[in-house]
PDB file of all heavy atoms in Angstrom:
ATOM      1  N   ARG A 292      -0.469   3.639 -16.341  1.00  0.00           N
ATOM      2  CA  ARG A 292      -0.461   2.191 -16.089  1.00  0.00           C
ATOM      3  C   ARG A 292      -0.967   1.841 -14.685  1.00  0.00           C
ATOM      4  O   ARG A 292      -1.068   0.720 -14.328  1.00  0.00           O
ATOM      5  CB  ARG A 292       0.983   1.650 -16.310  1.00  0.00           C
ATOM      6  CG  ARG A 292       1.406   1.694 -17.732  1.00  0.00           C
ATOM      7  CD  ARG A 292       0.504   0.861 -18.618  1.00  0.00           C
ATOM      8  NE  ARG A 292       1.081   0.649 -19.990  1.00  0.00           N
ATOM      9  CZ  ARG A 292       1.889  -0.248 -20.282  1.00  0.00           C
ATOM     10  NH1 ARG A 292       2.299  -1.153 -19.438  1.00  0.00           N
ATOM     11  NH2 ARG A 292       2.357  -0.385 -21.484  1.00  0.00           N
ATOM     12  N   TYR A 293      -1.169   2.892 -13.951  1.00  0.00           N
ATOM     13  CA  TYR A 293      -1.716   2.637 -12.645  1.00  0.00           C
ATOM     14  C   TYR A 293      -2.459   3.932 -12.178  1.00  0.00           C
ATOM     15  O   TYR A 293      -2.429   4.944 -12.910  1.00  0.00           O
ATOM     16  CB  TYR A 293      -0.573   2.317 -11.607  1.00  0.00           C
ATOM     17  CG  TYR A 293       0.585   3.347 -11.608  1.00  0.00           C
ATOM     18  CD1 TYR A 293       0.571   4.421 -10.762  1.00  0.00           C
ATOM     19  CD2 TYR A 293       1.695   2.977 -12.356  1.00  0.00           C
ATOM     20  CE1 TYR A 293       1.638   5.227 -10.722  1.00  0.00           C
ATOM     21  CE2 TYR A 293       2.789   3.947 -12.315  1.00  0.00           C
ATOM     22  CZ  TYR A 293       2.717   4.940 -11.485  1.00  0.00           C
ATOM     23  OH  TYR A 293       3.844   5.850 -11.468  1.00  0.00           O
ATOM     24  N   SER A 294      -3.211   3.817 -11.063  1.00  0.00           N
ATOM     25  CA  SER A 294      -4.056   4.954 -10.577  1.00  0.00           C
ATOM     26  C   SER A 294      -3.418   5.469  -9.201  1.00  0.00           C
ATOM     27  O   SER A 294      -2.678   4.706  -8.603  1.00  0.00           O
ATOM     28  CB  SER A 294      -5.450   4.518 -10.242  1.00  0.00           C
ATOM     29  OG  SER A 294      -5.992   3.864 -11.343  1.00  0.00           O
ATOM     30  N   ALA A 295      -3.741   6.689  -8.944  1.00  0.00           N
ATOM     31  CA  ALA A 295      -3.337   7.243  -7.686  1.00  0.00           C
ATOM     32  C   ALA A 295      -4.692   7.784  -6.983  1.00  0.00           C
ATOM     33  O   ALA A 295      -5.402   8.555  -7.619  1.00  0.00           O
ATOM     34  CB  ALA A 295      -2.415   8.380  -7.872  1.00  0.00           C
ATOM     35  N   THR A 296      -4.788   7.421  -5.792  1.00  0.00           N
ATOM     36  CA  THR A 296      -6.098   7.826  -4.976  1.00  0.00           C
ATOM     37  C   THR A 296      -5.621   8.455  -3.688  1.00  0.00           C
ATOM     38  O   THR A 296      -4.769   7.918  -3.022  1.00  0.00           O
ATOM     39  CB  THR A 296      -6.972   6.679  -4.790  1.00  0.00           C
ATOM     40  OG1 THR A 296      -7.339   6.037  -5.971  1.00  0.00           O
ATOM     41  CG2 THR A 296      -8.258   7.087  -4.039  1.00  0.00           C
ATOM     42  N   ALA A 297      -6.280   9.510  -3.338  1.00  0.00           N
ATOM     43  CA  ALA A 297      -5.898  10.282  -2.084  1.00  0.00           C
ATOM     44  C   ALA A 297      -6.365   9.468  -0.884  1.00  0.00           C
ATOM     45  O   ALA A 297      -7.576   8.998  -0.826  1.00  0.00           O
ATOM     46  CB  ALA A 297      -6.521  11.578  -2.116  1.00  0.00           C
ATOM     47  N   LEU A 298      -5.564   9.266   0.129  1.00  0.00           N
ATOM     48  CA  LEU A 298      -5.956   8.576   1.370  1.00  0.00           C
ATOM     49  C   LEU A 298      -6.202   9.613   2.499  1.00  0.00           C
ATOM     50  O   LEU A 298      -6.757   9.350   3.559  1.00  0.00           O
ATOM     51  CB  LEU A 298      -4.778   7.595   1.751  1.00  0.00           C
ATOM     52  CG  LEU A 298      -4.622   6.378   0.912  1.00  0.00           C
ATOM     53  CD1 LEU A 298      -3.536   5.531   1.442  1.00  0.00           C
ATOM     54  CD2 LEU A 298      -5.934   5.554   0.878  1.00  0.00           C
ATOM     55  N   THR A 299      -5.715  10.948   2.280  1.00  0.00           N
ATOM     56  CA  THR A 299      -5.927  11.970   3.094  1.00  0.00           C
ATOM     57  C   THR A 299      -6.227  13.149   2.210  1.00  0.00           C
ATOM     58  O   THR A 299      -6.235  12.926   0.919  1.00  0.00           O
ATOM     59  CB  THR A 299      -4.698  12.317   3.927  1.00  0.00           C
ATOM     60  OG1 THR A 299      -3.654  12.714   3.089  1.00  0.00           O
ATOM     61  CG2 THR A 299      -4.226  11.165   4.867  1.00  0.00           C
ATOM     62  N   GLU A 300      -6.444  14.294   2.792  1.00  0.00           N
ATOM     63  CA  GLU A 300      -6.479  15.497   1.940  1.00  0.00           C
ATOM     64  C   GLU A 300      -5.125  15.588   1.259  1.00  0.00           C
ATOM     65  O   GLU A 300      -4.133  15.398   1.911  1.00  0.00           O
ATOM     66  CB  GLU A 300      -6.823  16.737   2.673  1.00  0.00           C
ATOM     67  CG  GLU A 300      -6.836  17.946   1.693  1.00  0.00           C
ATOM     68  CD  GLU A 300      -7.557  19.166   2.328  1.00  0.00           C
ATOM     69  OE1 GLU A 300      -8.722  19.126   2.640  1.00  0.00           O
ATOM     70  OE2 GLU A 300      -6.762  20.140   2.519  1.00  0.00           O
ATOM     71  N   VAL A 301      -5.109  15.909  -0.012  1.00  0.00           N
ATOM     72  CA  VAL A 301      -3.854  15.994  -0.808  1.00  0.00           C
ATOM     73  C   VAL A 301      -3.747  17.321  -1.584  1.00  0.00           C
ATOM     74  O   VAL A 301      -4.698  17.744  -2.098  1.00  0.00           O
ATOM     75  CB  VAL A 301      -3.833  14.762  -1.777  1.00  0.00           C
ATOM     76  CG1 VAL A 301      -2.960  15.084  -2.983  1.00  0.00           C
ATOM     77  CG2 VAL A 301      -3.528  13.548  -1.116  1.00  0.00           C
ATOM     78  N   HIS A 302      -2.573  17.775  -1.555  1.00  0.00           N
ATOM     79  CA  HIS A 302      -2.194  18.942  -2.346  1.00  0.00           C
ATOM     80  C   HIS A 302      -1.214  18.499  -3.381  1.00  0.00           C
ATOM     81  O   HIS A 302      -0.170  18.002  -3.043  1.00  0.00           O
ATOM     82  CB  HIS A 302      -1.667  20.134  -1.584  1.00  0.00           C
ATOM     83  CG  HIS A 302      -2.580  20.654  -0.546  1.00  0.00           C
ATOM     84  ND1 HIS A 302      -3.711  21.444  -0.935  1.00  0.00           N
ATOM     85  CD2 HIS A 302      -2.734  20.466   0.800  1.00  0.00           C
ATOM     86  CE1 HIS A 302      -4.378  21.748   0.197  1.00  0.00           C
ATOM     87  NE2 HIS A 302      -3.809  21.076   1.168  1.00  0.00           N
ATOM     88  N   ALA A 303      -1.514  18.579  -4.721  1.00  0.00           N
ATOM     89  CA  ALA A 303      -0.684  18.007  -5.732  1.00  0.00           C
ATOM     90  C   ALA A 303      -0.514  19.085  -6.755  1.00  0.00           C
ATOM     91  O   ALA A 303      -1.415  19.890  -7.066  1.00  0.00           O
ATOM     92  CB  ALA A 303      -1.279  16.755  -6.253  1.00  0.00           C
ATOM     93  N   CYS A 304       0.734  19.027  -7.488  1.00  0.00           N
ATOM     94  CA  CYS A 304       0.959  19.910  -8.561  1.00  0.00           C
ATOM     95  C   CYS A 304       1.059  19.096  -9.844  1.00  0.00           C
ATOM     96  O   CYS A 304       1.621  17.985  -9.898  1.00  0.00           O
ATOM     97  CB  CYS A 304       2.286  20.640  -8.377  1.00  0.00           C
ATOM     98  SG  CYS A 304       2.139  21.755  -7.049  1.00  0.00           S
ATOM     99  N   PHE A 305       0.460  19.603 -10.951  1.00  0.00           N
ATOM    100  CA  PHE A 305       0.507  19.032 -12.204  1.00  0.00           C
ATOM    101  C   PHE A 305       1.429  19.788 -13.117  1.00  0.00           C
ATOM    102  O   PHE A 305       1.206  20.994 -13.386  1.00  0.00           O
ATOM    103  CB  PHE A 305      -0.888  18.933 -12.763  1.00  0.00           C
ATOM    104  CG  PHE A 305      -1.819  18.015 -12.061  1.00  0.00           C
ATOM    105  CD1 PHE A 305      -2.347  18.392 -10.823  1.00  0.00           C
ATOM    106  CD2 PHE A 305      -2.033  16.737 -12.508  1.00  0.00           C
ATOM    107  CE1 PHE A 305      -3.117  17.514 -10.128  1.00  0.00           C
ATOM    108  CE2 PHE A 305      -2.765  15.865 -11.830  1.00  0.00           C
ATOM    109  CZ  PHE A 305      -3.368  16.210 -10.580  1.00  0.00           C
ATOM    110  N   ILE A 306       2.567  19.183 -13.464  1.00  0.00           N
ATOM    111  CA  ILE A 306       3.573  19.953 -14.196  1.00  0.00           C
ATOM    112  C   ILE A 306       3.483  19.498 -15.725  1.00  0.00           C
ATOM    113  O   ILE A 306       3.459  18.350 -15.993  1.00  0.00           O
ATOM    114  CB  ILE A 306       4.990  19.577 -13.686  1.00  0.00           C
ATOM    115  CG1 ILE A 306       4.971  19.841 -12.033  1.00  0.00           C
ATOM    116  CG2 ILE A 306       6.057  20.379 -14.385  1.00  0.00           C
ATOM    117  CD1 ILE A 306       6.170  19.234 -11.427  1.00  0.00           C
ATOM    118  N   ASN A 307       3.562  20.501 -16.547  1.00  0.00           N
ATOM    119  CA  ASN A 307       3.554  20.272 -17.957  1.00  0.00           C
ATOM    120  C   ASN A 307       4.716  19.384 -18.344  1.00  0.00           C
ATOM    121  O   ASN A 307       5.915  19.558 -18.000  1.00  0.00           O
ATOM    122  CB  ASN A 307       3.698  21.603 -18.642  1.00  0.00           C
ATOM    123  CG  ASN A 307       3.735  21.499 -20.168  1.00  0.00           C
ATOM    124  OD1 ASN A 307       4.601  20.930 -20.828  1.00  0.00           O
ATOM    125  ND2 ASN A 307       2.613  21.985 -20.737  1.00  0.00           N
ATOM    126  N   ILE A 308       4.433  18.297 -19.165  1.00  0.00           N
ATOM    127  CA  ILE A 308       5.464  17.338 -19.484  1.00  0.00           C
ATOM    128  C   ILE A 308       6.621  17.924 -20.161  1.00  0.00           C
ATOM    129  O   ILE A 308       7.781  17.667 -19.985  1.00  0.00           O
ATOM    130  CB  ILE A 308       4.894  16.186 -20.330  1.00  0.00           C
ATOM    131  CG1 ILE A 308       3.912  15.326 -19.537  1.00  0.00           C
ATOM    132  CG2 ILE A 308       6.014  15.248 -20.841  1.00  0.00           C
ATOM    133  CD1 ILE A 308       3.488  14.016 -20.308  1.00  0.00           C
ATOM    134  N   SER A 309       6.319  18.736 -21.196  1.00  0.00           N
ATOM    135  CA  SER A 309       7.419  19.205 -22.046  1.00  0.00           C
ATOM    136  C   SER A 309       8.419  20.191 -21.250  1.00  0.00           C
ATOM    137  O   SER A 309       9.563  20.122 -21.439  1.00  0.00           O
ATOM    138  CB  SER A 309       6.946  19.851 -23.310  1.00  0.00           C
ATOM    139  OG  SER A 309       5.882  20.719 -23.025  1.00  0.00           O
ATOM    140  N   THR A 310       7.735  20.849 -20.260  1.00  0.00           N
ATOM    141  CA  THR A 310       8.600  21.663 -19.412  1.00  0.00           C
ATOM    142  C   THR A 310       9.520  20.814 -18.604  1.00  0.00           C
ATOM    143  O   THR A 310      10.626  21.049 -18.479  1.00  0.00           O
ATOM    144  CB  THR A 310       7.712  22.509 -18.448  1.00  0.00           C
ATOM    145  OG1 THR A 310       6.719  23.264 -19.252  1.00  0.00           O
ATOM    146  CG2 THR A 310       8.561  23.532 -17.606  1.00  0.00           C
ATOM    147  N   PHE A 311       8.943  19.853 -18.039  1.00  0.00           N
ATOM    148  CA  PHE A 311       9.731  18.890 -17.239  1.00  0.00           C
ATOM    149  C   PHE A 311      10.812  18.165 -18.070  1.00  0.00           C
ATOM    150  O   PHE A 311      11.987  18.126 -17.603  1.00  0.00           O
ATOM    151  CB  PHE A 311       8.844  17.742 -16.703  1.00  0.00           C
ATOM    152  CG  PHE A 311       9.390  16.861 -15.690  1.00  0.00           C
ATOM    153  CD1 PHE A 311       9.451  17.152 -14.344  1.00  0.00           C
ATOM    154  CD2 PHE A 311       9.916  15.600 -16.123  1.00  0.00           C
ATOM    155  CE1 PHE A 311      10.007  16.238 -13.461  1.00  0.00           C
ATOM    156  CE2 PHE A 311      10.494  14.778 -15.202  1.00  0.00           C
ATOM    157  CZ  PHE A 311      10.546  15.064 -13.889  1.00  0.00           C
ATOM    158  N   LYS A 312      10.465  17.779 -19.225  1.00  0.00           N
ATOM    159  CA  LYS A 312      11.463  17.162 -20.204  1.00  0.00           C
ATOM    160  C   LYS A 312      12.604  18.141 -20.509  1.00  0.00           C
ATOM    161  O   LYS A 312      13.833  17.713 -20.510  1.00  0.00           O
ATOM    162  CB  LYS A 312      10.790  16.705 -21.514  1.00  0.00           C
ATOM    163  CG  LYS A 312      10.074  15.392 -21.375  1.00  0.00           C
ATOM    164  CD  LYS A 312       9.532  14.908 -22.752  1.00  0.00           C
ATOM    165  CE  LYS A 312       8.741  13.668 -22.646  1.00  0.00           C
ATOM    166  NZ  LYS A 312       7.859  13.440 -23.773  1.00  0.00           N
ATOM    167  N   THR A 313      12.285  19.372 -20.708  1.00  0.00           N
ATOM    168  CA  THR A 313      13.267  20.392 -20.969  1.00  0.00           C
ATOM    169  C   THR A 313      14.323  20.422 -19.859  1.00  0.00           C
ATOM    170  O   THR A 313      15.516  20.508 -19.974  1.00  0.00           O
ATOM    171  CB  THR A 313      12.693  21.716 -21.173  1.00  0.00           C
ATOM    172  OG1 THR A 313      11.603  21.665 -22.184  1.00  0.00           O
ATOM    173  CG2 THR A 313      13.660  22.775 -21.663  1.00  0.00           C
ATOM    174  N   PHE A 314      13.794  20.478 -18.571  1.00  0.00           N
ATOM    175  CA  PHE A 314      14.723  20.536 -17.495  1.00  0.00           C
ATOM    176  C   PHE A 314      15.656  19.265 -17.350  1.00  0.00           C
ATOM    177  O   PHE A 314      16.773  19.392 -17.156  1.00  0.00           O
ATOM    178  CB  PHE A 314      13.924  20.632 -16.186  1.00  0.00           C
ATOM    179  CG  PHE A 314      13.169  21.885 -15.999  1.00  0.00           C
ATOM    180  CD1 PHE A 314      11.995  21.995 -15.267  1.00  0.00           C
ATOM    181  CD2 PHE A 314      13.643  23.108 -16.585  1.00  0.00           C
ATOM    182  CE1 PHE A 314      11.287  23.170 -15.099  1.00  0.00           C
ATOM    183  CE2 PHE A 314      12.923  24.230 -16.434  1.00  0.00           C
ATOM    184  CZ  PHE A 314      11.832  24.360 -15.719  1.00  0.00           C
ATOM    185  N   VAL A 315      14.979  18.129 -17.605  1.00  0.00           N
ATOM    186  CA  VAL A 315      15.806  16.996 -17.677  1.00  0.00           C
ATOM    187  C   VAL A 315      16.869  16.947 -18.720  1.00  0.00           C
ATOM    188  O   VAL A 315      18.069  16.521 -18.425  1.00  0.00           O
ATOM    189  CB  VAL A 315      14.854  15.666 -17.843  1.00  0.00           C
ATOM    190  CG1 VAL A 315      15.743  14.390 -18.039  1.00  0.00           C
ATOM    191  CG2 VAL A 315      13.903  15.437 -16.655  1.00  0.00           C
TER     192      VAL A 315
END
Side-chain angles (χ1 to χ4, degrees):
Chain A
R292 291 301 188 87
Y293 51 89
S294 305
T296 303
L298 291 177
T299 61
E300 177 168 296
V301 157
H302 299 285
C304 291
F305 292 77
I306 306 165
N307 182 295
I308 292 189
S309 46
T310 308
F311 187 86
K312 278 185 186 162
T313 308
F314 292 152
V315 170

